[in-house]
Amino acid sequence: MPDFVPEKVGQVSVACKSLCLWVLALEHYHDVYKMVKPKQKTVDEAKEALKMAQENLQEKQASLAKIQDHLQVLQQQYNDSVAQREALRERKVLTTLRLKRASILITALADEKIRWADSMEELEGKLLGIVGDTLVSAGSIAYLGPFTAPYRRDMVARWVEWCHLSQIPVSENYTIIKAMVDPNTVRKWQSEGLPQDNHSTENAVFVKKGHHWPLMIDPQGQAVKWITEMEGAALKVVQADDPNYMRTMERAIRIGEPVLLQNVTEHLDPALNPILLKELIHRGGQDLIKIGDTEIEFNENFRLYMTSNMPNPHYLPAVCIKVTVINFTVTFEGLQDQLLSFVVKQERPVLEQQRGELLESIARDVTQLREFEDKSLSLLQKSEGHILDDQDLVETLQTSKKMSEEILHRVEESEVTQKKIEIARQKYLPVATRGAVLYFVLADLAYIDVMYQFSLPWFQGMFSTCIDVTSSLSESSTPTRPSSSSRPLSGRIRPPSSRNSPELQSRASTPSQHSTASATRPQSGTDFYTHLKKMIDNLTESIYKVVSKGLFAAHQLVFSFMLCTSIMRSNSNTVDKTAELGVITSLEWKAFLQGHVFASMMDPETEAKHDGLTAMQRLEASAGIGTGSASSSRKSSASSIRTTGSTIIVKSTPPKWITESSWKQCQYLSASIDAFSSLCMYILQNRDQWSAFAKSGNVYQTMSTKYDSAEETKGDSASESSKLGIFKWEKLGPFHKILLIKILRPEQLTSAVRLFVEELMGAKFLSTGSFDLKEIFAESSAKHPLIFLLSPGVDPTAELMRFAKETRGSTLHVDMISLGRGQGPKAEELISKAQILKGRWVFLQNCHLAASFMPRLQTIVDSFSKPNYDLDPQFRLWLSSKPDPCFPVSILQTGFKMTVEPPKGLKANLHLAVTSRRSTESWEDSAPGPAWKNMLFGLYFFNAIITERKKYGRLGWNIPYEFTMSDLEVSVEMLKMMLSENPEVPWEALLYLTGEVAYGGRVTDTWDRRLLDSILNKFYTPKALDPSYTYSCDKLYHPLPSSFSIDDVRVYVEGLPESDSPIIFGMDDNAEKAYRESQAKELIDTLLIVQPRLTTQMGTGRSNDDIVLEITTEILRQLPESVEEVDEVDNDAKAAESQKSHKISAFMNYGGGGFGTGGNKKKEEKVTKEEKPEDSQQAASALVTVLRQEIDRFDKLLGVIHSTVKLLTLAVKGEIVMSDQLEEMYTAILNQRVPKTWQQAAYESCKPLGSWTLDLQQRVDFMCKWSDQIANAAERRLKEKAAAAQGQTLPDIEDLDSLREQPRSFWLAAFFFPQGFTMAVLQNHARREGLSVDSLTFDFKVMTSPYDTEETLADVKQKINVKEVAYKGSTPPTEGVLVFGLFLDGARFDPLTHSLQDSRPEERFCRVPEIHFIPVQTSVTAPEASEVGSRTSTPMVKKTSVSEKSSERGKEMYECPLYRTSSRAGTLSSTGHSTNFVTAVNIPTEYPADTWITRGVALLCQLDD
């Protein structure tokens, strides 16, 4: 049906369309089904057949799997059999290899087993002592860095001992080097420049192991050298005085570079604190450090080293806790080893080369051997699996074994060779030892004067040059410079006459004849030791010549003596055939320097054992008590007897010329040094021999010859001395003689030292080098400055300008500038211009006045030596400076030093005056008139006298003045002008212009001004024009005739003696002795400056701490805490306090309340003069006010003493920190000096500590007794008033002395302020008489008594019983006061003639009887123009009968100044007088007053001992 289509049907009906679709689908399904049905049936049949086929296949496959499984089992069995066969074959091969390797290992490790066993034993030993080792090592690193090698050893030994006592195990033979570092590291350090001595190695350990950054004390630059080589090119070197060094520091901290900070001072820059304290901030995984206001990253590789070139800095504890202070100062052993290498390199270069190569080879082999051993252990440790299967290990061990055997054999051979080389090198050790001794002497010179600087590199260069005997013997005796950059030349500019002065005169000596050295140097036998001696002598002489030329004249003899004694002291530690000078032991040297300290610390038993008395003498002296037999005089008795309770003490009495201190030192010598055994006994028994010793003019020479007693001991007089025999002083060694002279004849010490040096080393070691500027200039270079070392009163400018004119014909090329404030930039500009312009010289004067410019000057001078610095060869930099610490040390070490000094002695001064160009022109001038030449020469002589007079110290001038040539030149011009303008000589005008203006302008002391006028009157006087007039009584010095030419004058001056007689100065022999004693004291004091502090046990078994504690305990026992406590010792505390309060109350009531008289003023106004009781007048006494003030001062002093002693005791015990003040106090007490802290609170005194303490005790007793009298008198008056009110009377007192209200006689020395006491006496008199104090002065009367004989007054050693003299005896005078206890210096008071007389020989000081100070009213008169010395504190007055009576007897009065101490000089007060000056006392004299004025006679309140 064509129309039966769904679309068409759908057009008709949608429902029909659906039906149509369904019909069509059924039709289609029917057609398909008919096609598929047959095919489905066929499929079913095929499936049935396939199923049957698969079942058959499965059966077949099961059968095949069984067969395959069986085959696989068979194959596995086969494979296993084959594998087993191969495994057996491989096992056979491996076993064979293991057997072979095992054999190799057994052989290779056979020796290692022994070494490992030893190492295990060593490690076990270290493990046992690891606690103690760690403890001691930590203490060493923390504390021992600043100390010297001997002190470190001593401390470590003590620590180890304490560990043993505390049962803390410590390794046997412990050293910090063994405990902290291995030998290979030490060898590495030494190859990098570290010195090979143990001290330097310990320092390196401290540097590496310390927790803080190291601060190294490195004056010789050894630490800098080592650090520089160790750190290499990465090291950044900065200077502490560089203001920009922190920038370099910050950059190094960021990058992690090492930094070396040089020239660190005693005070560290606060900017370094964060770095030193390592104040790190951890933030964000990084370490930061804050420097200033900036935080920067801290690199852990950063390292900081600090060095100081100061030889002995003092760092405060605040510095020490921030850094590790390490003492890198060169040691004697280290320098000795370095110098030995120089010697061997010079003498046997092949030997030294072999040694160097051998040491390197040994170090290299030992290092390689250690590397092999470490590699073996490392391989054994890291081996995995069976050890026999590691072929590399076995091969390495085998190779190591062979190499180890070769190296070990080589090391053994090298060590044997090294021992042989060392034996050969040790033959030259004496030369190195002498070099080390010389260097340390030179290093000590810097303590004497800061300008004496000598660097170690310079000395090593000098050493290398001087030991070359072959070249040095063929040239001049003057050593040549090793190089222009290593040796500073030194010299001295003096007038020709000064080179012939007694202090500087070169002693003639025969030059040693040296044979020409052979080309082959001797190596053994006599010739070898002769060769060594030539080397040593040449070295010593050359060093002496070079160094002595750069020293001031005052230090020349000190240097020679230091040189000689240092060599002798070193001989005590070494024994060699070249040592010819002898030996000085440590005990002898300390006894020489500080024998008085040791003597004062002797035990009483030792002192009594060596007092010089025999047992029989003690028995005889003891038996003589009570029988009168012991009352013999001092001259005839060798013992004195003293009783203490029931104890009888017999003490020896030395001869009168031996002081108590010297006698104790003799006892110490007798007890401690065998050569002086029984010395005191010899002195007591052989008085004739020792009297000759005391009178000898040359003691050293006298002791060199045997004493001949034939003439001295005849008949019975020889019986006493023959028992013991004479003292054989000729057998004493040279130093023993010096030691004895120093103790018994100190005035002879200086001359004896000269003879000592001349005897042992030759006169050539007493000569002083002097050469002119030409020689110095010829040796100089543009790189090295020429330095004038100035002494007061000299100026090298004229000498330099003269030399410049001689060299260039003019002075236009010289630029001079005097440094001072603001002159530094100008000086720098001059130096810069001089380098641009050719041939310029720059002279910078007075560098000591420009301390701020010195660092910049050091930088400028250092830049001259830079490699690429362009410097004009003709340029010269001249510097002048007084000794000053601010002067750069590096300039002193590299520069040419020249000492400029004034001439010494009258002859030298006169020679300088008459040889100057100006004197030549002035002498022949006829315009001034006929008196010109006479007075001109007198002026020259006057200038020489006042210049040289200062050598007498306090007797010469109260204050030493530095008169200069300008003073003389001005005086010459004034003399010429006055004589030219006046027909007659204007004496008064000349005296004023010369004495008051030219020279007097420098004189600040009134009594020195009087002395100056007195001396000038000897030359400016009409008598000087008389041809018979002389300046001295021996007529040696006199005016010259007018006919003399200047050449005649010079001939006359050349004929004058080299040594000056004291007569020309107006002095006597005692003054000359005092001068020589002062020279000896200066010599000893200078030697003490360079000595370390005493650290020995004084030979008594006690340490320094024990001695100081003992002394301070004794001081506290002797001195009360206040004046009021003196009499409270025996009372209980409550009664004592009550008594003290009552005493103070009575004392204050007695004075009327308060100081002065203000408290009584209103009461006194109510009482009429007639009704005023006597006690009211006494209550207003100014002396009471003085007493109160004095007691307050003493209380303050006693309080300071007690408080500081208690602090010092705690510091010594370690309970508090030892401050600078306590350290000074410790040293002072140990050296028997009064500490500065006590001096500041005390009265003026020059006594040593022992005498000072006893003196203070006497002063306190005097004041206490006086205050007791006042208190007792006030108390008795109160009781009398109370008794009178009750109608009773008090019983009389038997002791009338106790009724006095003031001392009978006053001890003027007891007062802090004696000037106040004298003024109080005048005030009392003024109040009593109703006069003005200003109108009063004192008249004086010397009150001699029957006990005041010539002998008693001369015995100044006899102690005064102050209480007996002051408070016992007759009634005190009603007018004025009596004063006792004064001493005369330079004269004596004769009780027979009642006047001043010349001192007796050997007796400079003399006691003065009591002096009555009488207040009198002055009648001021105008002084006459001719009177000398009218400018005194006391106006010219018309006095009472004392002066009139003296005038009636025809005696003059000498106005004698009274001083508190022998130093005389003090602070200049507003009155024009020194604070040391008390008053002027008029003393009768039979000689003109000028005699005593020029002799420097004065009264003293106290002596120095």
Side-chain angles (χ1 to χ4, degrees), residues 1297-1333:
D1297 293 335
S1298 63
L1299 295 177
R1300 296 174 184 164
E1301 299 176 358
Q1302 67 181 32
R1304 182 195 70 84
S1305 182
F1306 287 89
W1307 186 30
L1308 196 60
F1311 292 88
F1312 260 82
F1313 189 59
Q1315 296 93 327
F1317 165 76
T1318 58
M1319 182 57 66
V1321 175
L1322 295 178
Q1323 287 178 349
N1324 283 346
H1325 184 80
R1327 292 170 183 172
R1328 184 166 56 250
E1329 302 296 333
L1331 302 173
S1332 170
V1333 176

Side-chain angles (χ1 to χ4, degrees), residues 524-543:
S524 61
T526 306
D527 292 340
F528 174 73
Y529 289 107
T530 303
H531 176 65
L532 280 186
K533 188 176 184 305
K534 288 180 180 180
M535 293 174 63
I536 294 174
D537 293 343
N538 185 54
L539 170 65
T540 308
E541 183 177 354
S542 300
I543 293 293

Side-chain angles (χ1 to χ4, degrees), residues 88 167 239 275 370 546 589 748 793 1003 1005 1211 1327 1379-1380:
L88 291 174
Q167 297 182 353
Q239 303 296 324
I275 303 175
R370 180 63 180 270
V546 172
W589 180 246
Q748 292 267 332
V1003 180
D1005 186 86
R1327 292 170 183 172
V1379 171
F1380 73 94

Side-chain angles (χ1 to χ4, degrees), residues 1093 1108 1222-1233:
R1093 195 181 73 185
V1108 170
L1222 296 178
E1223 180 76 17
E1224 188 278 331
M1225 184 177 172
Y1226 181 97
T1227 305
I1229 293 176
L1230 201 59
N1231 294 329
Q1232 290 294 298
R1233 292 187 288 102

Side-chain angles (χ1 to χ4, degrees), residues 1116-1169:
L1116 292 181
R1117 187 188 66 81
Q1118 293 179 358
L1119 300 178
E1121 294 188 10
S1122 64
V1123 175
E1124 290 80 6
E1125 291 185 3
V1126 174
D1127 56 349
E1128 298 171 7
V1129 178
D1130 298 330
N1131 302 328
D1132 57 80
K1134 185 174 181 180
E1137 186 65 27
S1138 175
Q1139 180 181 356
K1140 179 178 178 180
S1141 301
H1142 176 73
K1143 177 179 175 181
I1144 294 175
S1145 176
F1147 184 37
M1148 296 302 295
N1149 291 333
Y1150 180 81
F1155 291 99
T1157 60
N1160 290 339
K1161 187 172 182 180
K1162 293 184 178 180
K1163 295 181 180 179
E1164 291 177 2
E1165 291 176 353
K1166 298 179 181 179
V1167 181
T1168 63
K1169 189 172 183 179

Side-chain angles (χ1 to χ4, degrees), residues 872-919:
D872 176 24
Q874 296 301 319
F875 166 77
R876 292 294 185 274
L877 178 60
W878 303 80
L879 307 173
S880 71
S881 175
K882 290 183 179 180
D884 195 282
C886 71
F887 199 91
V889 174
S890 62
I891 297 180
L892 290 170
Q893 292 179 345
T894 58
F896 294 73
K897 295 187 289 290
M898 299 164 283
T899 52
V900 186
E901 297 186 274
K904 301 292 184 181
L906 289 179
K907 179 178 178 179
N909 276 277
L910 288 173
H911 194 282
L912 175 63
V914 301
T915 53
S916 65
R917 179 179 57 84
R918 182 168 299 183
S919 66

Side-chain angles (χ1 to χ4, degrees), residues 585-638:
T585 65
S586 176
L587 178 61
E588 294 169 351
W589 180 246
K590 291 171 182 175
F592 173 75
L593 291 179
Q594 295 184 315
H596 64 287
V597 177
F598 294 157
S600 65
M601 298 174 182
M602 277 196 305
D603 296 330
E605 297 180 0
T606 305
E607 186 176 347
K609 182 178 179 181
H610 297 276
D611 61 354
L613 295 178
T614 62
M616 182 60 67
Q617 288 175 325
R618 287 193 180 88
L619 289 174
E620 291 175 353
S622 301
I625 297 179
T627 63
S629 61
S631 60
S632 57
S633 66
R634 182 177 180 181
K635 289 185 177 180
S636 60
S637 176

